[in-house]
Amino acid sequence: MSRRKFIKRTFWGLTGIGILGGLYSWQIEPFNLEFVKVKMPIKNLPNELIGKTLMQISDSHIGNRFDYNFVIDSFKKAKEYNPDFVVYTGDYVSTYKDKVQYDKLKEVLNHSVKGQIGTIGVLGNHDYGVNWSQKEVADKISEILTSKGVHVLRNENIELSGLNFIGFDDFWGLEFNPEKAMKGFEKSKANIVLCHNPDVCDINIWSDYNSWILSGHTHGGQVKPPFLPPPMLPVKNKKYSSGQIKLSNDRTLYINRALGHLWQVRFNVKPEITIFESENA
């Protein structure tokens, strides 16, 4: 083969690979949902809760960025697991300059997954509207969630069958008050914290908290080159990408890769719904 033919064939081969990779990242992986199963040892867990399942769903981002019927279909698949608890960790909508799509959110939440014991949610930054500055948007989304059977925690806690959930309002939102939320913490209880943005793990409010923290927000970066960290993460601490991370004082952070997406592109970062199985620590 001549040098000229080799270069030509190489060029067209690489071009074809690039086109196929682009199509995969645009049309396939953003809708290739993965159910991730994780063991969840919890201190002080009541015996009757051993083996129960907790499903985490995060960042559905209902709006105009992608076909939200994917989220409805994902909810239908998730219901087949019959979770005992379901937690939603924020960013139910996408809001920049677009009008908040309340009607689309209501339609999607008509199919939402409910826990047999309880269903809980916290807010994310997008749930505060443009520039995370619209309290009326957060209040409206909270109202819609409540009407659809999701108990929204805004710097407060709720105990369900011996499992204490502490919910932070969003780190970037207008009403972030972790000190108020952590008043619901008692070390003698079985505890789980819900907070949309994992950067809250690095602020000085944790005292002797020593259990799980469930977050979303990062989407795992949405694009992750092989063997390299994601180049774009909307967090200060770039270690907070996705999955299970051990923190100080025996805390365990789990970052869900998100069900939806801001932009319809994913590579090496599939959309995720997490299913935790509880056990005594």
Side-chain angles (χ1 to χ4, degrees):
M1 184 185 298
S2 69
R3 181 173 179 272
R4 189 172 186 177
K5 283 185 177 179
F6 175 78
I7 292 173
K8 185 176 181 180
R9 291 186 181 183
T10 300
F11 170 78
W12 286 113
L14 291 174
T15 299
I17 291 171
I19 291 171
L20 289 174
L23 286 171
Y24 171 81
S25 300
W26 173 43
Q27 290 292 337
I28 297 177
E29 187 162 313
F31 306 105
N32 189 8
L33 173 64
E34 181 178 5
F35 286 91
V36 178
K37 295 185 177 181
V38 179
K39 293 289 186 180
M40 185 183 235
I42 303 174
K43 296 176 179 66
N44 309 311
L45 186 70
N47 288 334
E48 57 270 24
L49 292 185
I50 294 174
K52 298 294 186 183
T53 55
L54 183 152
M55 178 178 286
Q56 183 191 7
I57 300 172
S58 198
D59 299 80
S60 55
H61 283 289
I62 304 304
N64 296 321
R65 300 295 180 87
F66 67 97
D67 184 358
Y68 64 91
N69 284 294
F70 164 67
V71 176
I72 294 175
D73 291 340
S74 298
F75 284 171
K76 291 177 180 178
K77 293 175 183 177
K79 287 178 181 179
E80 295 177 6
Y81 288 89
N82 296 314
D84 298 294
F85 300 94
V86 175
V87 298
Y88 293 88
T89 45
D91 276 3
Y92 306 92
V93 298
S94 285
T95 50
Y96 283 109
K97 297 179 181 179
D98 298 334
K99 183 180 178 181
V100 180
Q101 304 293 318
Y102 294 125
D103 290 342
K104 289 181 180 179
L105 178 61
K106 290 176 182 177
E107 181 182 351
V108 170
L109 289 176
N110 284 335
H111 304 273
S112 60
V113 192
K114 305 293 198 312
Q116 296 182 65
I117 299 175
T119 307
I120 304 161
V122 293
L123 299 180
N125 52 299
H126 279 269
D127 304 317
Y128 271 91
V130 177
N131 298 322
W132 338 132
S133 62
Q134 296 176 289
K135 182 179 182 299
E136 67 276 12
V137 173
D139 291 344
K140 180 64 175 179
I141 289 173
S142 295
E143 177 188 319
I144 293 171
L145 288 164
T146 300
S147 72
K148 301 299 182 180
V150 180
H151 187 106
V152 182
L153 296 177
R154 302 181 71 175
N155 304 311
E156 54 196 333
N157 72 292
I158 184 173
E159 187 171 332
L160 299 173
S161 298
L163 186 55
N164 187 44
F165 293 90
I166 301 168
F168 292 6
D169 214 294
D170 182 65
F171 187 37
W172 293 353
L174 297 174
E175 299 188 353
F176 179 64
N177 190 340
E179 293 84 0
K180 179 181 176 184
M182 290 303 288
K183 288 179 180 178
F185 166 62
E186 293 181 25
K187 194 171 183 178
S188 61
K189 293 182 177 181
N191 296 284
I192 294 176
V193 164
L194 309 177
C195 59
H196 178 69
N197 188 328
D199 269 338
V200 303
C201 294
D202 295 338
I203 63 177
N204 188 25
I205 49 92
W206 294 99
S207 184
D208 56 352
Y209 183 82
N210 60 350
S211 192
W212 288 76
I213 304 162
L214 305 185
S215 295
H217 184 63
T218 68
H219 302 198
Q222 286 198 199
V223 174
K224 184 181 182 301
F227 312 111
L228 293 172
M232 296 183 65
L233 288 171
V235 282
K236 183 177 179 180
N237 189 333
K238 300 306 178 184
K239 293 180 181 179
Y240 296 159
S241 171
S242 64
Q244 187 170 329
I245 302 169
K246 294 298 293 183
L247 303 176
S248 61
N249 197 39
D250 207 19
R251 294 175 296 158
T252 301
L253 169 66
Y254 191 90
I255 305 172
N256 180 288
R257 296 191 304 257
L259 178 57
H261 26 266
L262 287 174
W263 304 102
Q264 189 177 308
V265 57
R266 282 182 182 262
F267 180 76
N268 203 25
V269 188
K270 293 179 182 179
E272 172 184 0
I273 290 177
T274 320
I275 303 173
F276 297 94
E277 182 181 347
S278 63
E279 57 186 27
N280 217 334

